């Protein structure tokens, strides 16, 4: 008798639990279906020490540039453009804007030259392309896409990448095209302080000091992550690297898994910050892996990496997930960024997560 | 009354479950403590299509070379050497052996030159160093270690890396030092078949054909992963890349997260195979991430990636975990490899996982 009662109670309890679980699952599906945006885009124009006291005029220049970029991406997505095309076109626009450390406006190397890195990745099949240290290619993001689509390889470097560009239909410029007075001043200040020292002494300092109001000498990378109406994810990143860099230094921007990652099953990510730390922690891939292996949301995964693995000041990421969730997570004082989606989200921000400079 | 009986039964059941769980946990701890080796090492000399019909003499040359390398590592570890030193010294030995596609014996580029890549990583603090496309450095693994220990950067490429070498005390050689007749023949055959084509046509083939008995033209990388007596992990990889490569192609070997990874909390890994696939799947880091985020063993994690994410024929990895577990997992017909640990494990193998050519 006791045995029967217990059995009945346990059975009833099991049925109750199963029912509850099914209801939760069903209500989640409904919520997701109603809330999930048809497309989403996030972009960054670099992270770093960005003083809140910058001139209103300069601040407005950045806000306008971020607006222009996010509007281009949003409009393309609204019209049904493919994720890869949106990534490429928005990055190209930012490469042409001298405010950002990519393409025109890139920081200068120790030898007063420009060495540009970029990468792109297609979340549909994990296909990927990148170039490191190109010197005459106006839009390194486009050359990266050509590496992805026209070769079986992922990464071409320096003189080799220039020879590849010779074979491709891609716009070339004289290196002086990339020159801006602001970056030359940044280099001069960096060299005066010998900020990037690479010697046997072990006494290195890469701290770029504080008197520039926008200190993006290490961080001014641009990057875009997109979910399109077909549910495809893509991401791309482009940079001039670090002011006063030497020795063909390669940062995280052309490294898939570190600076860029896209996988339709999880998310699309572009990183900006101290590239070496992003390589050591495989930041872009790690966020995707946390989502895949723990079921975390994009923002949870990004926070675990940016605020749990990296050190304060290292930088940040922007990303979109396969469900259209947007993340813009950074541990530096500021990150130039913007986001938009099909549900009307449209924002531009520099400092706190809450602000919206729209 | 019924209620009381049910409560008592549920309580008794809970106590039983807790007791069982504790017993299991305790017995696992005992097993691990008694079975955990004090040190462990695994190494590879590349994966690929290795015919079982190779001459006994050639087979014996590889077996002897793998023996020599694993013995060096084992003896150093037995005497208490640090993981990083063991990785560097064993890779140097293999770089000097013309059988392997690293250092002397490296494959030739399309331009009949040698472009060497290497990387090293320290599991203690995730510090990392790498070089891509060096041409006059006898031991690229040693230059990688100098990048890690003497710069704040992770990766230097091509002419930039050569300039860094100029500043370091590292042995330089004339590029002809790396030449071997066998690799020249491989290049000639590859060029006859135009195997690595990089053009607009999209009709690429990198299949190196079948008539060489040991087809390691894509795969002959070397790599070492070590757990030392102090519980520190380190890994390193060195390669000449892919026969007939062009455009400064960078594969996975100098990319931390793809070709090499080490984290004292999880494992140390070195990869060998079609580098592009190892980059797209961030293979070395992904294995570490699966261990970290799901609690999987090293072998489970490696199998999930090599046999679950990659395609058959892509290659494989060797690795050791923080508990001294050794993994040598590959999806190609063969992988030159060896392993040893403090409990007397000492083995050399080429084909099936079961064999031991000791």
């Amino acid at each position: 008798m006791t045995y029967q009662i217990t059995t009945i109670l346990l059975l009833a309890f099991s049925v109750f639990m199963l029912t509850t679980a099914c209801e939760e699952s069903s209500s989640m599906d409904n919520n997701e279906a109603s809330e999930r945006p048809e497309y989403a885009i996030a972009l960054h124009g670099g992270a770093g020490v960005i003083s809140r006291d910058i001139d209103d005029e300069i601040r407005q220049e950045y806000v306008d540039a971020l607006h222009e970029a996010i509007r281009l991406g949003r409009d393309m997505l609204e019209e049904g453009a493919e994720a890869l095309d949106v990534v490429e076109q928005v990055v190209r626009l930012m490469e042409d804007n001298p405010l950002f450390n990519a393409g025109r406006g890139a920081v200068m190397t120790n030898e007063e030259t420009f060495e540009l890195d970029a990468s792109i990745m297609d979340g549909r099949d994990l296909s990927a392309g990148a170039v490191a240290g190109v010197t005459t290619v106006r839009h390194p993001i486009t050359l990266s896409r050509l590496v992805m689509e026209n070769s079986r390889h992922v990464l071409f470097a320096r003189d080799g990448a220039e020879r590849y560009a010779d074979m491709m239909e891609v716009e070339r410029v004289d290196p002086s095209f990339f020159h801006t007075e602001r970056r030359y001043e940044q280099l001069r200040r960096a060299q005066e302080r010998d900020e990037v020292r690479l010697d046997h002494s072990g006494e290195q300092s890469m701290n770029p000091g504080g008197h520039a109001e926008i200190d993006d000498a290490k961080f001014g990378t641009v990057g875009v992550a997109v979910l399109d109406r077909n549910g495809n994810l893509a991401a791309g990143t482009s940079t001039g690297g670090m002011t006063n860099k030497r020795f063909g230094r390669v940062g995280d921007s052309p490294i898939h898994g570190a600076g860029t990652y896209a996988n339709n099953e999880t998310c699309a990510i572009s990183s900006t910050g101290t590239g070496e730390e992003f390589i050591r922690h495989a930041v872009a891939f790690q966020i995707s892996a946390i989502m895949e292996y723990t079921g975390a949301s994009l923002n949870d995964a990004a926070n675990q990496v940016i605020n749990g693995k990296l050190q304060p000041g290292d930088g940040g990421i922007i990303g979109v997930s396969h469900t259209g969730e947007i993340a813009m997570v950074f541990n530096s004082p500021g990150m130039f960024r913007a986001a938009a989606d099909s549900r009307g989200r449209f924002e531009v921000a520099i400092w706190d997560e809450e602000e919206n400079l729209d």
Side-chain angles (χ1 to χ4, degrees), chain A:
Chain A
M1 177 63 186
T2 313
Y3 172 76
Q4 283 169 325
I5 291 170
T6 312
T7 307
I8 288 164
L9 279 167
L10 281 171
L11 271 171
F13 181 71
S14 303
V15 169
F16 169 74
M17 290 301 286
L18 272 169
T19 315
T20 314
C22 285
E23 275 169 4
E24 275 175 7
S25 162
S26 152
S27 98
M28 272 176 65
D29 286 348
N30 286 341
N31 281 343
E32 279 189 20
S34 63
E35 289 179 11
R36 186 181 289 195
E38 290 174 42
Y39 61 79
I41 175 171
L43 61 85
H44 67 79
V49 178
I50 306 165
S51 166
R52 283 176 185 275
D53 301 328
I54 52 174
D55 283 356
D56 281 355
E57 198 180 325
I58 293 176
R59 188 183 69 79
Q60 198 58 45
E61 279 181 33
Y62 279 96
V63 169
D64 290 347
L66 293 166
H67 258 150
E68 186 188 5
I70 196 69
R71 201 179 310 118
L72 171 65
R74 197 258 328 256
D75 292 352
M76 286 182 73
L77 287 164
E78 180 65 31
E79 288 161 20
E82 293 200 356
L84 268 182
D85 293 331
V86 177
V87 166
E88 183 185 2
Q89 292 306 318
V90 176
V91 171
R92 283 172 65 103
L93 183 73
M94 298 180 83
E95 284 175 338
D96 277 345
N97 191 320
L99 289 175
F100 303 114
N101 174 16
R104 193 159 151 255
V107 300
M108 300 184 82
T109 70
N110 180 266
E111 294 88 12
E112 301 189 7
T113 59
F114 303 93
E115 295 177 356
L116 311 175
D117 306 331
S119 62
I120 196 165
M121 189 157 179
D122 185 342
R124 287 177 294 196
D125 59 359
L126 307 186
S127 65
V131 292
V134 294
T135 56
T136 66
V137 176
R138 179 169 175 178
H139 296 115
I141 193 70
T142 295
L143 187 58
S144 297
R145 185 168 179 177
L146 289 167
V147 172
M148 177 172 76
E149 294 181 343
N150 290 283
S151 87
R152 290 281 293 268
H153 299 293
V154 162
L155 173 57
F156 291 146
R158 299 178 70 78
D159 53 312
E162 287 286 320
R163 286 199 300 277
Y164 187 69
D166 294 342
M167 285 176 48
M168 296 286 131
E169 285 179 24
V170 61
E171 187 177 347
R172 311 295 281 276
V173 292
D174 185 88
S176 64
F177 169 84
F178 301 114
H179 182 93
T180 56
E181 203 52 35
R182 172 173 166 229
R183 300 305 186 184
Y184 182 65
E185 287 300 317
Q186 267 182 342
L187 174 66
R188 274 202 332 104
R189 288 200 302 272
Q191 290 182 327
E192 278 167 15
R193 293 187 218 108
D194 193 15
E195 280 165 5
V196 177
R197 290 206 297 256
L198 297 154
D199 53 27
H200 301 258
S201 71
E203 294 171 23
Q204 298 109 345
S205 161
M206 296 196 303
N207 182 350
H211 71 74
E213 285 182 320
I214 299 176
D215 178 9
D216 62 345
K218 291 195 293 183
F219 297 118
T221 304
V222 309
V224 179
V226 167
L227 170 74
D228 70 20
R229 285 185 185 276
N230 298 318
N232 293 320
L233 290 167
T237 307
S238 184
T239 190
M242 182 181 288
T243 297
N244 204 18
K245 68 183 177 183
R246 297 172 71 183
F247 306 122
R249 176 255 186 187
V250 180
D252 64 319
S253 298
I255 308 293
H256 300 93
T260 300
Y261 206 74
N263 180 342
N264 270 9
E265 304 297 313
T266 53
C267 59
I269 301 283
S270 171
S271 309
T272 173
T274 307
E276 282 72 10
E277 295 305 318
F278 284 72
I279 293 174
R280 290 177 185 125
H281 293 277
V283 166
F285 178 81
Q286 186 161 187
I287 293 168
S288 168
I290 292 173
M291 292 179 69
E292 177 172 355
Y293 292 112
T294 76
S297 71
L298 171 60
N299 275 280
D300 282 352
N303 268 304
Q304 284 184 51
V305 177
I306 301 299
N307 296 312
K309 301 284 185 177
L310 298 178
Q311 297 299 311
D314 278 343
I317 63 96
I318 56 89
V320 297
S321 80
H322 64 118
T323 62
E325 182 189 353
I326 288 171
M328 300 190 284
V329 180
F330 55 101
N331 61 28
S332 47
M335 180 168 78
F336 295 113
R337 63 198 188 276
D341 70 20
S342 62
R343 296 178 306 189
R345 180 172 179 174
F346 187 90
E347 65 187 68
V348 168
I350 301 177
W351 299 283
D352 294 344
E353 295 205 15
E354 294 72 25
E355 82 200 304
N356 187 351
L357 304 173
D358 186 13

